[in-house]
Amino acid sequence: MIVAGRRGHLLMALAAVAIACLPLVASNYHLQLASTALVAAIFALSLQLLVGAGGMVSLGHAAFFGIGAYAVHLLPPGLSVLLTLPAAAGLAGAAALLVGAMALRTRGFFFLMTTLAFGQMLFFVFHDTPLGGGKDGVFVTRPALELLGFVIDVPRRDRPAMLLWLNLGLLVAVYALLAALMGTLFGHALRGIRANEDRMRALGYDTGRIKLVAFVLAGALAGIAGHAQAMADAFVNPEMLAWHHGAEALLMILLGGLGALHGPILGAFAFVGLGEASTLITERQRLVEGLVILAVVLALPRGLAGLGR
Amino acid sequence: MNALEAEGLTRRFGGLTAVADVSLSLALGELHAVIGPNGAGKSTLVNLLAGELRPSAGRIRLGAEDITAWPVFRRARAGIGRSFQRTNLLREATVFENARLAAQAAVFAPRRWLRAAARDAEPIERAGLALDRVGLAARAALPAGSLSHGEMRLLEIAMALATRPAVLLLDEPLAGLGPEEGERVAALLRGLARDHAVLLVEHDMDVVFAVADVLTVMVDGRVLERGPPSAIRASAAVRDAYLGHAA
Ligand SMILES: Nc1ncnc2c1ncn2[C@@H]1O[C@H](COP(=O)(O)OP(=O)(O)OP(=O)(O)O)[C@@H](O)[C@H]1O
Ligand SMILES: [Mg+2]
């Protein structure tokens, strides 16, 4: 998996500036749509750390997204986002530690199935026990936007813009973190594991430990995405943890490109845009989405990210 | 002192005993060759020493330490490097990246995980040295998968070297090489034996007899004979059991 070079990062920075300027021109509805894409991008990016970098295809990744979202429900209402966000990441990361410690004993297809099983277990915890607050979901109080003791009170009509900036900031931060990580010895080792795990072990890498650390980090980042979603919707529901939500993120990665760190960001925007466009022209939204994704994946084996190379 | 020592190593696969009660010691500065017909258990022995396989019985010591239960990566970190009989590289990465990953393994402690790889000079330098030593420096920027078979065999050795091992386990490094490349590797092996304890599994008898200090002949998982090349060449049992086939 490659990390974009200087030119790519310049383009991304320009795109980020353009998104930040959206509130000047776009309706609140479209700002919310953009926020949805940003959150999806964070989520898909967190999964890319497992799939694209480490070669671990997980079908249970949505569970950590959901735990991050439910953290907002489980924590006392009215806390600062500076508390709830790290707490969401921490809870999701802790869950990922437990799941990863067991699931990473397997590889390939069995890893896929094991993560699916653990993901569904967590889904049912929130779906069927009092912990989750009901199978239809539950409204939550948005954490307070509090910086350095100042509570920023956002009027209702400005909220979509505020959330957009927040989510954009998170996406940029998560991307920068992962891009830097890929350049470290750890990042190199992780990519080596994807290419040839047995060889890496014979070279002296404790591949089990490296994969577990990546799994926990990916879980924590998914938790951040989940928290952002709860913050945007003021609502959480068990579907956030469902396996097909994770599969959607896998589709975004496929669409955007498995081979590039920024692939999932392109994929997330394409996916959300495609969903929106297809509802405009048809009621058979899923069918259109499916066909377009299939066509893109077949025509562009490197995904949208491969277009620029 | 012996660098690596195996005692009574046995490995069974179901009803088949691939390695039967093999004892063996490798010393620094010595090249110990293991020869034997196909299926004699040579690769299994290498896999037992490297930790890829657990022995059914027997013990392995590295220096003073009993490493029988150690996993592969821990043995590698402790100084056992190996090459594989079937070329085992990161094919899409470049030759240099393969060597650098190997060199990075030696410094990969948790407190250095977050070091920027581009600024970590030591592994970069060591990867370059290892490629130099096997004569692949000019190929550094190519994808490993694009190398010729012979060059891949050399890269296998360079990767093992870049981890800075004390013990080298080389499983048929000359397999499939032409005479010219074979000559180059043979010269390399002689050099390696000066500062490593080398276990060499090899079918090319000319090379083996030219470079080995000690020879172990395996047949059906057992040690048939052991001794310096001259003694092995003269052994009637070895000629009957093995060299006879080859001639
Ligand atoms: N994983 C395994 N499972 C079952 N049998 C195995 C396994 N690995 C090796 N064997 C068997 O053990 C015996 C020894 O195999 P090994 O690969 O060690 O031989 P070798 O001396 O390296 O042969 P060659 O010269 O062909 O490389 C063979 O009969 C082989 O079929
Ligand atoms: Mg063999």
Side-chain angles (χ1 to χ4, degrees), chain A residues 43 46-52 54-64 96 99-100 103-104 108-120 215 218-219 222 242-251 253:
Chain A
F43 181 41
S46 74
L47 185 56
Q48 178 77 322
L49 176 63
L50 294 184
V51 180
M56 295 170 266
V57 184
S58 164
L59 261 184
H61 201 54
F64 310 122
V99 172
L104 286 169
F109 176 72
F110 294 100
F111 178 74
L112 193 84
M113 288 297 124
T114 317
T115 50
L116 176 64
F118 279 116
Q120 288 305 90
F215 197 84
W243 72 271
H244 46 82
H245 184 213
E248 231 170 65
L250 282 175
L251 269 182
I253 291 177

mmCIF file of all heavy atoms in Angstrom, chain A residues 43 46-52 54-64 96 99-100 103-104 108-120 215 218-219 222 242-251 253:
data_model
loop_
_atom_site.group_PDB
_atom_site.id
_atom_site.type_symbol
_atom_site.label_atom_id
_atom_site.label_comp_id
_atom_site.label_asym_id
_atom_site.label_seq_id
_atom_site.Cartn_x
_atom_site.Cartn_y
_atom_site.Cartn_z
ATOM 1 N N PHE A 43 -14.172 6.086 8.857
ATOM 2 C CA PHE A 43 -14.426 4.672 9.144
ATOM 3 C C PHE A 43 -13.679 3.771 8.147
ATOM 4 O O PHE A 43 -12.975 2.832 8.537
ATOM 5 C CB PHE A 43 -15.942 4.414 9.105
ATOM 6 C CG PHE A 43 -16.331 3.004 9.409
ATOM 7 C CD1 PHE A 43 -15.712 2.284 10.424
ATOM 8 C CD2 PHE A 43 -17.338 2.382 8.678
ATOM 9 C CE1 PHE A 43 -16.084 0.977 10.706
ATOM 10 C CE2 PHE A 43 -17.718 1.083 8.949
ATOM 11 C CZ PHE A 43 -17.087 0.377 9.956
ATOM 12 N N SER A 46 -10.005 3.769 8.728
ATOM 13 C CA SER A 46 -9.591 2.933 9.863
ATOM 14 C C SER A 46 -9.528 1.470 9.438
ATOM 15 O O SER A 46 -8.663 0.720 9.870
ATOM 16 C CB SER A 46 -10.544 3.111 11.048
ATOM 17 O OG SER A 46 -11.787 2.466 10.813
ATOM 18 N N LEU A 47 -10.438 1.067 8.575
ATOM 19 C CA LEU A 47 -10.428 -0.320 8.101
ATOM 20 C C LEU A 47 -9.279 -0.550 7.118
ATOM 21 O O LEU A 47 -8.735 -1.654 7.041
ATOM 22 C CB LEU A 47 -11.776 -0.641 7.441
ATOM 23 C CG LEU A 47 -12.004 -2.084 6.990
ATOM 24 C CD1 LEU A 47 -11.821 -3.061 8.149
ATOM 25 C CD2 LEU A 47 -13.396 -2.248 6.391
ATOM 26 N N GLN A 48 -8.904 0.483 6.402
ATOM 27 C CA GLN A 48 -7.791 0.368 5.451
ATOM 28 C C GLN A 48 -6.489 -0.002 6.179
ATOM 29 O O GLN A 48 -5.636 -0.689 5.630
ATOM 30 C CB GLN A 48 -7.619 1.687 4.672
ATOM 31 C CG GLN A 48 -6.471 1.720 3.679
ATOM 32 C CD GLN A 48 -6.765 0.980 2.387
ATOM 33 O OE1 GLN A 48 -7.404 -0.057 2.401
ATOM 34 N NE2 GLN A 48 -6.309 1.505 1.273
ATOM 35 N N LEU A 49 -6.358 0.464 7.405
ATOM 36 C CA LEU A 49 -5.173 0.103 8.198
ATOM 37 C C LEU A 49 -5.078 -1.421 8.337
ATOM 38 O O LEU A 49 -3.994 -1.996 8.310
ATOM 39 C CB LEU A 49 -5.248 0.769 9.575
ATOM 40 C CG LEU A 49 -4.138 0.425 10.565
ATOM 41 C CD1 LEU A 49 -2.778 0.884 10.053
ATOM 42 C CD2 LEU A 49 -4.413 1.048 11.925
ATOM 43 N N LEU A 50 -6.236 -2.073 8.491
ATOM 44 C CA LEU A 50 -6.229 -3.533 8.592
ATOM 45 C C LEU A 50 -6.082 -4.180 7.226
ATOM 46 O O LEU A 50 -5.253 -5.053 7.030
ATOM 47 C CB LEU A 50 -7.542 -4.022 9.224
ATOM 48 C CG LEU A 50 -7.807 -3.642 10.661
ATOM 49 C CD1 LEU A 50 -9.089 -4.287 11.138
ATOM 50 C CD2 LEU A 50 -6.650 -4.103 11.524
ATOM 51 N N VAL A 51 -6.923 -3.740 6.280
ATOM 52 C CA VAL A 51 -7.040 -4.451 5.002
ATOM 53 C C VAL A 51 -5.885 -4.088 4.065
ATOM 54 O O VAL A 51 -5.148 -4.959 3.612
ATOM 55 C CB VAL A 51 -8.382 -4.123 4.330
ATOM 56 C CG1 VAL A 51 -8.493 -4.870 3.009
ATOM 57 C CG2 VAL A 51 -9.524 -4.510 5.249
ATOM 58 N N GLY A 52 -5.751 -2.792 3.777
ATOM 59 C CA GLY A 52 -4.761 -2.366 2.803
ATOM 60 C C GLY A 52 -3.344 -2.476 3.332
ATOM 61 O O GLY A 52 -2.433 -2.889 2.629
ATOM 62 N N GLY A 54 -2.316 -4.064 6.502
ATOM 63 C CA GLY A 54 -1.946 -5.304 7.190
ATOM 64 C C GLY A 54 -2.447 -6.577 6.543
ATOM 65 O O GLY A 54 -2.100 -7.671 6.985
ATOM 66 N N GLY A 55 -3.297 -6.450 5.518
ATOM 67 C CA GLY A 55 -3.815 -7.652 4.873
ATOM 68 C C GLY A 55 -4.799 -8.433 5.715
ATOM 69 O O GLY A 55 -4.994 -9.621 5.512
ATOM 70 N N MET A 56 -5.432 -7.776 6.689
ATOM 71 C CA MET A 56 -6.405 -8.463 7.548
ATOM 72 C C MET A 56 -7.814 -8.031 7.148
ATOM 73 O O MET A 56 -8.239 -6.940 7.490
ATOM 74 C CB MET A 56 -6.173 -8.092 9.015
ATOM 75 C CG MET A 56 -4.854 -8.551 9.576
ATOM 76 S SD MET A 56 -4.537 -7.812 11.207
ATOM 77 C CE MET A 56 -3.576 -6.370 10.769
ATOM 78 N N VAL A 57 -8.515 -8.857 6.410
ATOM 79 C CA VAL A 57 -9.857 -8.492 5.963
ATOM 80 C C VAL A 57 -10.848 -8.865 7.059
ATOM 81 O O VAL A 57 -11.094 -10.034 7.325
ATOM 82 C CB VAL A 57 -10.227 -9.184 4.646
ATOM 83 C CG1 VAL A 57 -11.596 -8.702 4.181
ATOM 84 C CG2 VAL A 57 -9.180 -8.900 3.594
ATOM 85 N N SER A 58 -11.391 -7.824 7.709
ATOM 86 C CA SER A 58 -12.307 -8.046 8.825
ATOM 87 C C SER A 58 -13.730 -7.716 8.407
ATOM 88 O O SER A 58 -13.976 -6.736 7.724
ATOM 89 C CB SER A 58 -11.899 -7.148 10.001
ATOM 90 O OG SER A 58 -12.958 -7.062 10.937
ATOM 91 N N LEU A 59 -14.646 -8.544 8.840
ATOM 92 C CA LEU A 59 -16.066 -8.257 8.597
ATOM 93 C C LEU A 59 -16.750 -7.800 9.883
ATOM 94 O O LEU A 59 -17.963 -7.689 9.935
ATOM 95 C CB LEU A 59 -16.779 -9.498 8.054
ATOM 96 C CG LEU A 59 -16.992 -9.554 6.552
ATOM 97 C CD1 LEU A 59 -17.796 -10.789 6.175
ATOM 98 C CD2 LEU A 59 -17.707 -8.302 6.049
ATOM 99 N N GLY A 60 -15.972 -7.555 10.920
ATOM 100 C CA GLY A 60 -16.574 -7.170 12.188
ATOM 101 C C GLY A 60 -16.207 -5.755 12.603
ATOM 102 O O GLY A 60 -16.415 -5.364 13.745
ATOM 103 N N HIS A 61 -15.680 -4.995 11.669
ATOM 104 C CA HIS A 61 -15.119 -3.705 12.038
ATOM 105 C C HIS A 61 -16.189 -2.714 12.491
ATOM 106 O O HIS A 61 -15.908 -1.813 13.280
ATOM 107 C CB HIS A 61 -14.331 -3.130 10.867
ATOM 108 C CG HIS A 61 -13.323 -2.105 11.256
ATOM 109 N ND1 HIS A 61 -12.357 -2.341 12.210
ATOM 110 C CD2 HIS A 61 -13.133 -0.833 10.857
ATOM 111 C CE1 HIS A 61 -11.623 -1.259 12.365
ATOM 112 N NE2 HIS A 61 -12.078 -0.323 11.564
ATOM 113 N N ALA A 62 -17.409 -2.872 12.000
ATOM 114 C CA ALA A 62 -18.480 -1.954 12.377
ATOM 115 C C ALA A 62 -18.764 -2.014 13.876
ATOM 116 O O ALA A 62 -19.256 -1.042 14.456
ATOM 117 C CB ALA A 62 -19.747 -2.262 11.590
ATOM 118 N N ALA A 63 -18.448 -3.119 14.503
ATOM 119 C CA ALA A 63 -18.699 -3.235 15.942
ATOM 120 C C ALA A 63 -17.964 -2.126 16.695
ATOM 121 O O ALA A 63 -18.503 -1.547 17.643
ATOM 122 C CB ALA A 63 -18.246 -4.607 16.441
ATOM 123 N N PHE A 64 -16.765 -1.804 16.263
ATOM 124 C CA PHE A 64 -15.978 -0.789 16.970
ATOM 125 C C PHE A 64 -16.494 0.612 16.670
ATOM 126 O O PHE A 64 -16.482 1.491 17.526
ATOM 127 C CB PHE A 64 -14.498 -0.944 16.624
ATOM 128 C CG PHE A 64 -14.032 -2.365 16.779
ATOM 129 C CD1 PHE A 64 -13.477 -3.070 15.724
ATOM 130 C CD2 PHE A 64 -14.217 -3.021 18.000
ATOM 131 C CE1 PHE A 64 -13.102 -4.391 15.870
ATOM 132 C CE2 PHE A 64 -13.841 -4.342 18.154
ATOM 133 C CZ PHE A 64 -13.291 -5.041 17.090
ATOM 134 N N ALA A 96 -11.548 -3.850 20.726
ATOM 135 C CA ALA A 96 -10.730 -4.406 19.643
ATOM 136 C C ALA A 96 -9.598 -5.260 20.204
ATOM 137 O O ALA A 96 -9.207 -6.264 19.601
ATOM 138 C CB ALA A 96 -10.167 -3.289 18.771
ATOM 139 N N VAL A 99 -11.266 -8.635 21.067
ATOM 140 C CA VAL A 99 -11.625 -9.367 19.844
ATOM 141 C C VAL A 99 -10.363 -9.777 19.085
ATOM 142 O O VAL A 99 -10.214 -10.931 18.666
ATOM 143 C CB VAL A 99 -12.533 -8.507 18.938
ATOM 144 C CG1 VAL A 99 -12.738 -9.186 17.585
ATOM 145 C CG2 VAL A 99 -13.874 -8.254 19.611
ATOM 146 N N GLY A 100 -9.434 -8.822 18.944
ATOM 147 C CA GLY A 100 -8.222 -9.091 18.180
ATOM 148 C C GLY A 100 -7.384 -10.192 18.797
ATOM 149 O O GLY A 100 -6.826 -11.029 18.080
ATOM 150 N N ALA A 103 -9.315 -13.254 17.605
ATOM 151 C CA ALA A 103 -9.508 -13.426 16.156
ATOM 152 C C ALA A 103 -8.174 -13.553 15.423
ATOM 153 O O ALA A 103 -8.080 -14.249 14.414
ATOM 154 C CB ALA A 103 -10.304 -12.256 15.587
ATOM 155 N N LEU A 104 -7.126 -12.915 15.929
ATOM 156 C CA LEU A 104 -5.856 -12.911 15.202
ATOM 157 C C LEU A 104 -5.100 -14.235 15.331
ATOM 158 O O LEU A 104 -4.025 -14.392 14.768
ATOM 159 C CB LEU A 104 -4.974 -11.748 15.659
ATOM 160 C CG LEU A 104 -5.445 -10.391 15.129
ATOM 161 C CD1 LEU A 104 -4.720 -9.252 15.797
ATOM 162 C CD2 LEU A 104 -5.264 -10.321 13.613
ATOM 163 N N GLY A 108 -6.757 -15.215 7.094
ATOM 164 C CA GLY A 108 -7.490 -15.360 5.836
ATOM 165 C C GLY A 108 -8.986 -15.533 6.047
ATOM 166 O O GLY A 108 -9.624 -14.759 6.758
ATOM 167 N N PHE A 109 -9.521 -16.577 5.429
ATOM 168 C CA PHE A 109 -10.963 -16.814 5.476
ATOM 169 C C PHE A 109 -11.451 -16.993 6.910
ATOM 170 O O PHE A 109 -12.511 -16.495 7.289
ATOM 171 C CB PHE A 109 -11.297 -18.054 4.647
ATOM 172 C CG PHE A 109 -12.742 -18.435 4.703
ATOM 173 C CD1 PHE A 109 -13.700 -17.667 4.055
ATOM 174 C CD2 PHE A 109 -13.150 -19.549 5.413
ATOM 175 C CE1 PHE A 109 -15.038 -18.006 4.106
ATOM 176 C CE2 PHE A 109 -14.494 -19.897 5.476
ATOM 177 C CZ PHE A 109 -15.439 -19.127 4.821
ATOM 178 N N PHE A 110 -10.674 -17.689 7.733
ATOM 179 C CA PHE A 110 -11.119 -17.945 9.096
ATOM 180 C C PHE A 110 -11.118 -16.667 9.925
ATOM 181 O O PHE A 110 -11.951 -16.479 10.795
ATOM 182 C CB PHE A 110 -10.249 -19.033 9.741
ATOM 183 C CG PHE A 110 -10.429 -20.360 9.063
ATOM 184 C CD1 PHE A 110 -9.506 -20.803 8.128
ATOM 185 C CD2 PHE A 110 -11.545 -21.134 9.316
ATOM 186 C CE1 PHE A 110 -9.691 -21.998 7.466
ATOM 187 C CE2 PHE A 110 -11.748 -22.340 8.669
ATOM 188 C CZ PHE A 110 -10.808 -22.774 7.733
ATOM 189 N N PHE A 111 -10.185 -15.789 9.611
ATOM 190 C CA PHE A 111 -10.157 -14.480 10.276
ATOM 191 C C PHE A 111 -11.426 -13.711 9.915
ATOM 192 O O PHE A 111 -12.083 -13.115 10.778
ATOM 193 C CB PHE A 111 -8.911 -13.707 9.855
ATOM 194 C CG PHE A 111 -8.822 -12.330 10.460
ATOM 195 C CD1 PHE A 111 -8.496 -12.161 11.794
ATOM 196 C CD2 PHE A 111 -9.082 -11.214 9.688
ATOM 197 C CE1 PHE A 111 -8.424 -10.900 12.347
ATOM 198 C CE2 PHE A 111 -9.009 -9.943 10.240
ATOM 199 C CZ PHE A 111 -8.684 -9.789 11.568
ATOM 200 N N LEU A 112 -11.779 -13.758 8.648
ATOM 201 C CA LEU A 112 -12.999 -13.104 8.176
ATOM 202 C C LEU A 112 -14.205 -13.601 8.971
ATOM 203 O O LEU A 112 -15.023 -12.819 9.471
ATOM 204 C CB LEU A 112 -13.179 -13.429 6.692
ATOM 205 C CG LEU A 112 -14.193 -12.621 5.903
ATOM 206 C CD1 LEU A 112 -13.542 -11.341 5.434
ATOM 207 C CD2 LEU A 112 -14.689 -13.413 4.709
ATOM 208 N N MET A 113 -14.286 -14.922 9.105
ATOM 209 C CA MET A 113 -15.434 -15.516 9.787
ATOM 210 C C MET A 113 -15.414 -15.220 11.290
ATOM 211 O O MET A 113 -16.446 -14.977 11.900
ATOM 212 C CB MET A 113 -15.443 -17.034 9.562
ATOM 213 C CG MET A 113 -15.824 -17.418 8.158
ATOM 214 S SD MET A 113 -17.512 -16.882 7.793
ATOM 215 C CE MET A 113 -17.272 -15.895 6.363
ATOM 216 N N THR A 114 -14.226 -15.258 11.882
ATOM 217 C CA THR A 114 -14.128 -15.012 13.317
ATOM 218 C C THR A 114 -14.506 -13.562 13.633
ATOM 219 O O THR A 114 -15.238 -13.298 14.589
ATOM 220 C CB THR A 114 -12.696 -15.284 13.822
ATOM 221 O OG1 THR A 114 -12.223 -16.476 13.218
ATOM 222 C CG2 THR A 114 -12.677 -15.436 15.320
ATOM 223 N N THR A 115 -14.014 -12.637 12.827
ATOM 224 C CA THR A 115 -14.366 -11.237 13.081
ATOM 225 C C THR A 115 -15.865 -11.029 12.861
ATOM 226 O O THR A 115 -16.506 -10.278 13.597
ATOM 227 C CB THR A 115 -13.569 -10.282 12.170
ATOM 228 O OG1 THR A 115 -13.678 -10.721 10.814
ATOM 229 C CG2 THR A 115 -12.120 -10.220 12.570
ATOM 230 N N LEU A 116 -16.422 -11.710 11.873
ATOM 231 C CA LEU A 116 -17.866 -11.631 11.642
ATOM 232 C C LEU A 116 -18.620 -12.101 12.881
ATOM 233 O O LEU A 116 -19.556 -11.443 13.355
ATOM 234 C CB LEU A 116 -18.250 -12.484 10.425
ATOM 235 C CG LEU A 116 -19.737 -12.594 10.104
ATOM 236 C CD1 LEU A 116 -20.302 -11.240 9.730
ATOM 237 C CD2 LEU A 116 -19.978 -13.600 8.975
ATOM 238 N N ALA A 117 -18.175 -13.231 13.437
ATOM 239 C CA ALA A 117 -18.860 -13.796 14.606
ATOM 240 C C ALA A 117 -18.764 -12.851 15.804
ATOM 241 O O ALA A 117 -19.774 -12.569 16.469
ATOM 242 C CB ALA A 117 -18.249 -15.155 14.948
ATOM 243 N N PHE A 118 -17.571 -12.337 16.060
ATOM 244 C CA PHE A 118 -17.429 -11.414 17.199
ATOM 245 C C PHE A 118 -18.240 -10.138 16.960
ATOM 246 O O PHE A 118 -18.870 -9.606 17.880
ATOM 247 C CB PHE A 118 -15.960 -11.060 17.422
ATOM 248 C CG PHE A 118 -15.218 -12.107 18.188
ATOM 249 C CD1 PHE A 118 -14.178 -12.813 17.606
ATOM 250 C CD2 PHE A 118 -15.562 -12.394 19.504
ATOM 251 C CE1 PHE A 118 -13.494 -13.787 18.310
ATOM 252 C CE2 PHE A 118 -14.881 -13.367 20.213
ATOM 253 C CZ PHE A 118 -13.849 -14.066 19.608
ATOM 254 N N GLY A 119 -18.226 -9.659 15.744
ATOM 255 C CA GLY A 119 -18.978 -8.453 15.406
ATOM 256 C C GLY A 119 -20.465 -8.657 15.673
ATOM 257 O O GLY A 119 -21.124 -7.798 16.271
ATOM 258 N N GLN A 120 -20.974 -9.807 15.239
ATOM 259 C CA GLN A 120 -22.400 -10.063 15.444
ATOM 260 C C GLN A 120 -22.730 -10.224 16.928
ATOM 261 O O GLN A 120 -23.792 -9.814 17.388
ATOM 262 C CB GLN A 120 -22.844 -11.299 14.653
ATOM 263 C CG GLN A 120 -22.907 -11.062 13.148
ATOM 264 C CD GLN A 120 -23.796 -9.869 12.769
ATOM 265 O OE1 GLN A 120 -23.312 -8.739 12.683
ATOM 266 N NE2 GLN A 120 -25.091 -10.092 12.575
ATOM 267 N N PHE A 215 -4.696 -3.768 14.935
ATOM 268 C CA PHE A 215 -6.126 -4.050 15.110
ATOM 269 C C PHE A 215 -6.744 -3.133 16.164
ATOM 270 O O PHE A 215 -7.842 -2.610 15.993
ATOM 271 C CB PHE A 215 -6.300 -5.519 15.519
ATOM 272 C CG PHE A 215 -7.702 -6.042 15.350
ATOM 273 C CD1 PHE A 215 -8.137 -6.509 14.118
ATOM 274 C CD2 PHE A 215 -8.585 -6.061 16.418
ATOM 275 C CE1 PHE A 215 -9.434 -6.991 13.956
ATOM 276 C CE2 PHE A 215 -9.882 -6.534 16.264
ATOM 277 C CZ PHE A 215 -10.301 -6.999 15.025
ATOM 278 N N ALA A 218 -6.881 0.416 14.743
ATOM 279 C CA ALA A 218 -7.977 0.506 13.766
ATOM 280 C C ALA A 218 -9.321 0.553 14.490
ATOM 281 O O ALA A 218 -10.220 1.317 14.117
ATOM 282 C CB ALA A 218 -7.931 -0.686 12.805
ATOM 283 N N GLY A 219 -9.456 -0.239 15.543
ATOM 284 C CA GLY A 219 -10.698 -0.234 16.323
ATOM 285 C C GLY A 219 -10.933 1.120 16.964
ATOM 286 O O GLY A 219 -12.045 1.666 16.934
ATOM 287 N N ALA A 222 -12.002 3.577 14.369
ATOM 288 C CA ALA A 222 -13.399 3.329 14.004
ATOM 289 C C ALA A 222 -14.317 3.901 15.085
ATOM 290 O O ALA A 222 -15.392 4.440 14.799
ATOM 291 C CB ALA A 222 -13.643 1.834 13.829
ATOM 292 N N ALA A 242 -23.738 -3.480 12.781
ATOM 293 C CA ALA A 242 -24.058 -4.654 11.971
ATOM 294 C C ALA A 242 -22.975 -4.937 10.937
ATOM 295 O O ALA A 242 -22.304 -4.032 10.442
ATOM 296 C CB ALA A 242 -25.407 -4.445 11.284
ATOM 297 N N TRP A 243 -22.842 -6.199 10.602
ATOM 298 C CA TRP A 243 -21.741 -6.610 9.717
ATOM 299 C C TRP A 243 -21.819 -5.926 8.364
ATOM 300 O O TRP A 243 -20.802 -5.626 7.745
ATOM 301 C CB TRP A 243 -21.717 -8.127 9.554
ATOM 302 C CG TRP A 243 -22.827 -8.672 8.717
ATOM 303 C CD1 TRP A 243 -24.061 -9.059 9.147
ATOM 304 C CD2 TRP A 243 -22.803 -8.872 7.304
ATOM 305 N NE1 TRP A 243 -24.806 -9.476 8.087
ATOM 306 C CE2 TRP A 243 -24.061 -9.377 6.944
ATOM 307 C CE3 TRP A 243 -21.843 -8.669 6.311
ATOM 308 C CZ2 TRP A 243 -24.390 -9.675 5.625
ATOM 309 C CZ3 TRP A 243 -22.168 -8.965 4.996
ATOM 310 C CH2 TRP A 243 -23.437 -9.468 4.670
ATOM 311 N N HIS A 244 -23.064 -5.654 7.891
ATOM 312 C CA HIS A 244 -23.151 -5.068 6.545
ATOM 313 C C HIS A 244 -22.668 -3.626 6.526
ATOM 314 O O HIS A 244 -22.291 -3.101 5.487
ATOM 315 C CB HIS A 244 -24.555 -5.202 5.950
ATOM 316 C CG HIS A 244 -25.657 -4.828 6.882
ATOM 317 N ND1 HIS A 244 -26.044 -3.538 7.078
ATOM 318 C CD2 HIS A 244 -26.429 -5.587 7.697
ATOM 319 C CE1 HIS A 244 -27.022 -3.521 7.966
ATOM 320 N NE2 HIS A 244 -27.279 -4.736 8.365
ATOM 321 N N HIS A 245 -22.661 -2.997 7.690
ATOM 322 C CA HIS A 245 -22.068 -1.662 7.757
ATOM 323 C C HIS A 245 -20.564 -1.744 7.525
ATOM 324 O O HIS A 245 -19.968 -0.921 6.814
ATOM 325 C CB HIS A 245 -22.399 -1.027 9.117
ATOM 326 C CG HIS A 245 -21.908 0.382 9.251
ATOM 327 N ND1 HIS A 245 -21.483 0.896 10.442
ATOM 328 C CD2 HIS A 245 -21.749 1.360 8.343
ATOM 329 C CE1 HIS A 245 -21.090 2.153 10.258
ATOM 330 N NE2 HIS A 245 -21.250 2.448 8.994
ATOM 331 N N GLY A 246 -19.959 -2.778 8.116
ATOM 332 C CA GLY A 246 -18.533 -3.006 7.877
ATOM 333 C C GLY A 246 -18.261 -3.386 6.431
ATOM 334 O O GLY A 246 -17.258 -2.973 5.841
ATOM 335 N N ALA A 247 -19.175 -4.169 5.858
ATOM 336 C CA ALA A 247 -19.012 -4.583 4.464
ATOM 337 C C ALA A 247 -19.073 -3.363 3.542
ATOM 338 O O ALA A 247 -18.378 -3.299 2.520
ATOM 339 C CB ALA A 247 -20.084 -5.598 4.085
ATOM 340 N N GLU A 248 -19.896 -2.394 3.928
ATOM 341 C CA GLU A 248 -19.985 -1.158 3.149
ATOM 342 C C GLU A 248 -18.630 -0.447 3.122
ATOM 343 O O GLU A 248 -18.188 0.059 2.080
ATOM 344 C CB GLU A 248 -21.008 -0.235 3.814
ATOM 345 C CG GLU A 248 -22.060 0.323 2.894
ATOM 346 C CD GLU A 248 -23.155 1.014 3.691
ATOM 347 O OE1 GLU A 248 -22.875 2.035 4.357
ATOM 348 O OE2 GLU A 248 -24.286 0.504 3.675
ATOM 349 N N ALA A 249 -17.975 -0.421 4.278
ATOM 350 C CA ALA A 249 -16.645 0.203 4.333
ATOM 351 C C ALA A 249 -15.657 -0.567 3.457
ATOM 352 O O ALA A 249 -14.795 0.027 2.807
ATOM 353 C CB ALA A 249 -16.152 0.266 5.771
ATOM 354 N N LEU A 250 -15.797 -1.891 3.428
ATOM 355 C CA LEU A 250 -14.934 -2.684 2.544
ATOM 356 C C LEU A 250 -15.179 -2.315 1.089
ATOM 357 O O LEU A 250 -14.239 -2.211 0.286
ATOM 358 C CB LEU A 250 -15.194 -4.184 2.746
ATOM 359 C CG LEU A 250 -14.568 -4.841 3.966
ATOM 360 C CD1 LEU A 250 -15.024 -6.287 4.093
ATOM 361 C CD2 LEU A 250 -13.051 -4.777 3.892
ATOM 362 N N LEU A 251 -16.449 -2.099 0.745
ATOM 363 C CA LEU A 251 -16.777 -1.677 -0.615
ATOM 364 C C LEU A 251 -16.131 -0.344 -0.950
ATOM 365 O O LEU A 251 -15.614 -0.143 -2.050
ATOM 366 C CB LEU A 251 -18.289 -1.539 -0.771
ATOM 367 C CG LEU A 251 -19.055 -2.771 -1.240
ATOM 368 C CD1 LEU A 251 -20.529 -2.446 -1.399
ATOM 369 C CD2 LEU A 251 -18.477 -3.271 -2.554
ATOM 370 N N ILE A 253 -13.440 0.838 0.276
ATOM 371 C CA ILE A 253 -12.009 0.606 0.083
ATOM 372 C C ILE A 253 -11.751 0.043 -1.308
ATOM 373 O O ILE A 253 -10.852 0.481 -2.031
ATOM 374 C CB ILE A 253 -11.475 -0.358 1.168
ATOM 375 C CG1 ILE A 253 -11.493 0.322 2.536
ATOM 376 C CG2 ILE A 253 -10.077 -0.833 0.818
ATOM 377 C CD1 ILE A 253 -11.044 -0.574 3.667
#
